């Protein structure tokens, strides 16, 4: 893909959604909600995660198949334009508070000029979408120890520009703890299999509770993802986790999605940048949202850019 305006490779579909193309593929944007449990027990959509859905003709193919065919000199442009369509499609929902989590790979932009250029692209995308920079969350998955300082520098720059930062796939290993200390993210997304393993018993749940409370003191919000059923939702509530994502709540949908109809924005619902850790003793589980028309299932969508 030749370097052009960030908007030159965009396609506006008949349904109003934004997509793009690469070689034989049409790249569409799927959004999956991240719900916030409010103090009165209701759930509201706090954010979305942007996921790529590549199509070859009418056939959906895996993101892995797409990226296996992306030329090395095109990966920066593909990475960038996918963020753009996720941001534009979130803005098109016209929700007043919802944020969008977009994957970001700082290692792709190893010079200050390239980093500045990409930050400007994101700023322009947010402006075009009618969203302030603090509604854009850059989700970082790099775990390579040699990249930690680079990622920390990137995160600091993004926050200075008004964007937010999330760390993906947290597993409480030494490298994960060090990443949190250096990067100082706004959000930490817990690695689903790791968290699920620990919450199966009281000792593991106690460890996660300690981690959640420590994050609270540092102004970091945890996000539990890939929740499979109502029991896991209730465990999150007991641990004091307010932000949750998974098929038990809502599946990803291609933009423009049906989320405005199914989960109308709760006007006047406060958005707290921090959360309160649970008080000592068993938590009182409030009534939870039951997504209309969906039942808990045991399958999960693949993560993507």
């Amino acid at each position: 893909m030749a370097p052009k305006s960030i908007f030159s490779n965009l396609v506006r579909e008949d349904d109003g959604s934004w997509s793009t193309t690469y070689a034989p593929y049409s790249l569409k944007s799927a959004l999956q909600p991240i719900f916030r449990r409010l103090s009165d027990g209701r759930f509201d959509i706090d954010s979305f995660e942007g996921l790529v859905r590549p199509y070859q003709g009418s056939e959906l193919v895996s993101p892995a198949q797409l990226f296996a065919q992306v030329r090395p000199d095109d990966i920066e442009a593909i990475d960038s334009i996918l963020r753009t369509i996720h941001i534009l499609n979130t803005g098109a929902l016209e929700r007043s508070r919802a944020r969008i989590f977009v994957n970001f790979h700082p290692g792709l932009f190893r010079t200050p000029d390239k980093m500045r250029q990409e930050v400007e692209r994101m700023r322009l995308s947010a402006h075009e979408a009618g969203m302030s920079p603090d509604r854009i969350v850059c989700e970082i998955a790099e775990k390579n120890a040699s990249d930690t300082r680079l990622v920390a520098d990137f995160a600091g720059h993004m926050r200075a520009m008004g964007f937010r930062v999330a760390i993906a796939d947290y597993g409480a290993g030494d490298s994960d703890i060090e990443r949190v200390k250096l990067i100082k993210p706004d959000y930490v997304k817990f690695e689903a299999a790791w968290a699920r393993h620990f919450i199966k018993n009281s000792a593991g749940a106690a460890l996660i509770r300690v981690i959640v409370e420590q994050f609270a003191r540092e102004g970091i919000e945890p996000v539990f993802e890939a929740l499979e059923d109502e029991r896991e939702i209730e465990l999150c509530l007991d641990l004091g986790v307010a932000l949750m994502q998974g098929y038990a709540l809502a599946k990803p949908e291609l933009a423009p999605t049906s989320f405005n109809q199914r989960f109308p924005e709760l006007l006047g619902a406060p958005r707290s940048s921090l959360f309160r850790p649970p008080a000592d003793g068993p938590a009182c589980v409030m009534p939870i949202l039951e997504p209309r028309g969906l039942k808990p299932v045991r399958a999960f969508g693949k993560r993507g850019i």
Side-chain angles (χ1 to χ4, degrees):
M1 297 176 71
K4 303 176 184 177
S5 161
I6 60 170
F7 303 114
S8 61
N9 291 314
L10 296 176
V11 176
R12 191 71 183 267
E13 304 288 353
D14 291 341
D15 60 10
S17 64
W18 294 94
S19 65
T20 189
T21 59
Y22 181 76
Y25 299 107
S26 173
L27 308 182
K28 299 181 182 294
S29 178
L31 302 176
Q32 184 175 22
I34 299 170
F35 289 89
R36 179 182 293 277
R37 189 259 194 172
L38 304 177
S39 59
D40 62 4
R42 294 181 299 169
F43 278 45
D44 191 26
I45 291 179
D46 179 272
S47 311
F48 295 95
E49 180 177 7
L51 304 162
V52 63
R53 292 294 183 264
Y55 284 81
Q56 190 167 10
S58 60
E59 180 184 359
L60 176 66
V61 301
S62 71
Q65 181 176 330
L66 163 70
F67 290 112
Q69 297 184 42
V70 174
R71 295 181 301 180
D73 56 350
D74 286 341
I75 189 63
E76 287 182 24
I78 291 292
D79 186 69
S80 179
I81 201 166
L82 289 177
R83 277 190 293 277
T84 297
I85 64 172
H86 296 326
I87 291 169
L88 292 175
N89 283 321
T90 300
L93 296 177
E94 297 184 342
R95 299 178 78 98
S96 64
R97 301 182 303 275
R99 296 190 170 105
I100 176 66
F101 280 63
V102 289
N103 282 4
F104 203 102
H105 306 277
L108 294 178
F109 307 95
R110 290 194 172 273
T111 69
D113 284 344
K114 285 189 174 183
M115 183 67 72
R116 282 193 293 268
Q117 183 181 46
E118 186 55 31
V119 171
E120 180 64 12
R121 285 174 179 156
M122 291 179 62
R123 191 190 66 79
L124 289 173
S125 298
H127 178 77
E128 185 69 18
M131 300 174 69
S132 57
D134 77 326
R135 291 175 60 190
I136 314 300
V137 183
C138 301
E139 183 175 335
I140 302 168
E142 271 92 342
K143 286 195 173 186
N144 189 325
S146 65
D147 291 336
T148 300
R149 175 49 61 186
L150 169 70
V151 173
D153 291 344
F154 160 77
H157 180 61
M158 295 304 289
R159 280 195 299 272
M161 297 297 292
F163 297 97
R164 291 179 175 245
V165 175
I167 288 179
D169 300 325
Y170 179 86
D174 291 341
S175 63
D176 295 287
I177 294 169
E178 187 64 21
R179 280 196 305 153
V180 171
K181 288 180 179 178
L182 284 173
I183 297 171
K184 300 179 176 65
D186 300 284
Y187 303 92
V188 167
K189 297 185 82 172
F190 279 67
E191 201 279 319
W194 179 86
R196 185 171 290 115
H197 171 74
F198 271 83
I199 62 177
K200 285 180 178 178
N201 60 76
S202 58
L207 171 62
I208 292 183
R209 185 187 294 273
V210 169
I211 295 171
V212 167
E213 292 176 351
Q214 176 64 34
F215 284 165
R217 289 191 289 271
E218 296 175 4
I220 300 169
E221 281 209 84
V223 181
F224 275 46
E225 57 184 352
L227 300 178
E228 296 185 343
D229 53 41
E230 188 170 314
R231 175 183 168 276
E232 291 183 348
I233 296 171
E234 291 174 348
L235 284 170
C236 287
L237 297 178
D238 183 62
L239 292 169
V241 176
L243 293 177
M244 299 171 231
Q245 180 185 24
Y247 274 31
L249 290 164
K251 298 178 182 179
E253 290 186 10
L254 287 177
T257 83
S258 66
F259 296 136
N260 280 349
Q261 292 74 42
R262 295 170 52 216
F263 309 112
E265 189 169 33
L266 299 180
L267 298 179
R271 174 191 283 285
S272 173
S273 60
L274 301 178
F275 70 102
R276 299 180 186 277
D280 291 338
C284 176
V285 179
M286 300 294 289
I288 66 169
L289 174 70
E290 294 182 2
R292 296 166 220 153
L294 292 180
K295 296 181 180 179
V297 295
R298 302 295 296 184
F300 284 81
K302 297 293 185 183
R303 298 189 53 164
I305 290 178

